[in-house]
Amino acid sequence: MRESNKYANDIISVLCEAGESGLPVRKIALHVYNTCNTLFTPVHIDDIYNCVRQWLNANSQSYDSLVCRCDKRGYYKINTSSQAAQQLMLEFSDDNSEPSLQEEPQNIEPEMGFLFDDML
């Protein structure tokens, strides 16, 4: 497995969250660095930056590539006209099915009494 493929899922998820405006390579690399760097597996930001840059460059060459360059120099975004990107957008949107904060919490009554109810 090539070194740049190691971070592919992290790069794609960051770009999916970025939307149509895209992100510069350094910000994508910083997000991937924050995701991958732990106490037990430290990584260097320069290594991540080079891997992210290589992956973005390799996966933005053709018209139907997963990512594409934005109008600004050094910015990348998900290529929404790509069939592979459309499928990924569906998969990532299914993963984000968390309940919203605006929903009212349900009032759940305990089925059994409290531990010391009988003593009173």
Side-chain angles (χ1 to χ4, degrees), residues 7 9-15 17-18 22-37 43 45 48-49 52:
Y7 306 115
N9 288 337
D10 296 325
I11 295 168
I12 293 168
S13 66
V14 167
L15 288 174
E17 290 179 23
L23 284 175
V25 177
R26 63 181 172 77
K27 287 225 179 194
I28 298 168
L30 188 60
H31 282 282
V32 173
Y33 173 77
N34 288 335
T35 302
C36 299
N37 192 28
V43 291
I45 186 71
I48 298 250
Y49 177 81
V52 167

Side-chain angles (χ1 to χ4, degrees), residues 82-108:
S82 168
Q83 289 180 354
Q86 291 173 0
Q87 180 64 34
L88 279 175
M89 296 295 273
L90 290 174
E91 289 177 15
F92 276 105
S93 66
D94 288 344
D95 289 343
N96 295 331
S97 60
E98 296 176 4
S100 66
L101 296 176
Q102 295 175 348
E103 291 180 8
E104 294 284 330
Q106 296 178 357
N107 189 8
I108 300 174

